[in-house]
């Protein structure tokens, strides 16, 4: 694969997306980094291009966008979205629309932040939507698809979420005692998720990844460097 590459990041104002922007700009594999969102980032960089528009207009905004790797970090909560329909738009429809247009534009790799417990047959609406998205993305036809399934994310957010803050605080206290399979439910740092996402792209560039679809669960995210990376 060509070493001259472009990355597209969607959801860059979010917790994982913000870390993705910083790590991708620091990465040597990208000559250009494109960010698409509803508002501009307070960030300037010689390799950074910002596209501003509504996520519902992704097909139009991105019609001329060319990128090798797409990092989709979109996500909300039902509480913030207020309705199931609004939640489904952000966590299912927009990522799928972006994947479809970018694949038509020649993108080779789509990396998406899903969630632990994602399952289209789940009785929980949140997990069901995430599972449905994963299944649909597999049908878009990317040569490489990376699905990240982190558990509770920790890190500094622009918005305050009481439930996540309390869970994260408790999780941080007990995390040193959580080993093996317990890592699947322990909190995971958002910057670690972003780091693994970028490393998967590096594997593809270096010809070290052969599986078209890779699902990386929360425990694997936390143990990623222990796998020889």
């Amino acid at each position: 694969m060509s070493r001259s590459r472009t990355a597209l990041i969607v959801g860059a104002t979010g917790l994982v997306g913000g870390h993705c922007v910083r790590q991708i700009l620091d990465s040597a594999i990208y000559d250009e980094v494109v960010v698409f969102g509803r508002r501009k980032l307070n960030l300037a960089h010689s390799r950074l291009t910002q596209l501003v528009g509504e996520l519902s207009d992704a097909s139009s905004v991105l019609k001329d966008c060319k990128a090798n790797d797409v990092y989709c970090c979109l996500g909300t909560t039902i509480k913030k979205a207020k309705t199931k329909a609004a939640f489904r738009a952000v966590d299912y429809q927009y990522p799928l629309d972006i994947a479809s247009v970018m694949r038509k534009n020649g993108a080779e790799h789509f990396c998406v932040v899903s969630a632990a417990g994602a399952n289209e047959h789940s009785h929980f609406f949140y997990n069901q939507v995430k599972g449905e998205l994963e299944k649909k993305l597999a049908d878009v036809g990317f040569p490489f698809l990376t699905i990240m399934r982190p558990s509770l994310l920790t890190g500094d957010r622009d918005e305050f979420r009481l439930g996540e803050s309390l869970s994260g605080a408790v999780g941080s206290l007990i995390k040193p005692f959580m080993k093996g399979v317990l890592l699947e439910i322990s909190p995971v740092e958002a910057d670690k998720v972003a780091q693994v996402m970028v490393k998967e792209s590096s594997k593809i560039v270096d010809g070290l990844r052969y599986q078209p679809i890779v699902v990386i669960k929360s425990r694997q995210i936390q143990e990623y460097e222990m796998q020889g990376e």
Side-chain angles (χ1 to χ4, degrees):
M1 288 209 177
S2 172
R3 299 292 305 197
S4 176
R5 297 178 76 80
T6 298
L8 170 66
I9 309 167
V10 187
T13 58
L15 186 57
V16 175
H19 285 290
C20 265
V21 172
R22 289 186 284 274
Q23 295 197 29
I24 288 172
L25 285 173
D26 287 340
S27 172
I29 68 174
Y30 295 110
D31 296 309
E32 184 180 6
V33 179
V34 181
V35 169
F36 167 48
R38 288 175 288 188
R39 65 179 187 272
K40 275 195 171 185
L41 300 176
N42 185 24
L43 177 65
H45 194 283
S46 60
R47 290 187 288 121
L48 179 65
T49 299
Q50 301 203 49
L51 302 177
V52 178
E54 292 298 322
L55 294 171
S56 56
D57 294 331
S59 296
S60 175
V61 177
L62 298 175
K63 62 183 176 63
D64 297 319
C65 180
K66 303 291 185 181
N68 304 90
D69 303 292
V70 181
Y71 297 86
C72 183
C73 306
L74 291 176
T76 187
T77 63
I78 295 179
K79 181 179 180 181
K80 185 177 180 181
K82 294 185 170 49
T83 66
K84 287 185 175 181
F87 171 84
R88 187 177 181 83
V90 175
D91 280 62
Y92 174 84
Q93 195 60 55
Y94 297 159
L96 190 57
D97 290 346
I98 291 164
S100 298
V101 68
M102 292 309 297
R103 180 62 192 131
K104 289 178 183 177
N105 291 350
E108 305 156 351
H109 175 214
F110 194 86
C111 187
V112 63
V113 179
S114 183
N119 187 326
E120 62 176 320
H121 302 297
S122 174
H123 296 296
F124 298 98
F125 180 73
Y126 179 90
N127 291 343
Q128 179 186 346
V129 171
K130 293 292 190 181
E132 289 175 1
L133 174 63
E134 292 183 6
K135 183 179 181 181
K136 285 292 185 180
L137 287 175
D139 295 332
V140 175
F142 284 95
F144 297 98
L145 171 64
T146 302
I147 297 171
M148 308 294 294
R149 288 185 184 170
S151 57
L152 179 70
L153 292 167
T154 59
D156 295 328
R157 292 184 183 272
D158 290 334
E159 61 187 80
F160 179 71
R161 297 181 181 177
L162 178 60
E164 289 187 5
S165 297
L166 292 174
S167 298
V170 173
S172 297
L173 290 174
I174 65 174
K175 187 172 181 177
F177 307 100
M178 303 185 80
K179 306 294 181 181
V181 293
L182 291 179
L183 286 175
E184 197 60 54
I185 60 172
S186 69
V188 58
E189 294 84 0
D191 61 344
K192 180 66 175 180
V193 177
Q195 178 187 17
V196 173
M197 293 168 76
V198 177
K199 283 190 174 182
E200 278 299 307
S201 291
S202 296
K203 274 187 175 182
I204 293 169
V205 173
D206 293 335
L208 299 176
R209 173 167 151 181
Y210 307 99
Q211 310 97 313
I213 300 176
V214 170
V215 177
I216 305 179
K217 297 182 179 180
S218 204
R219 175 183 177 180
Q220 294 170 301
I221 294 170
Q222 298 182 68
E223 296 180 337
Y224 197 84
E225 290 183 352
M226 296 168 62
Q227 299 172 359
E229 295 301 315

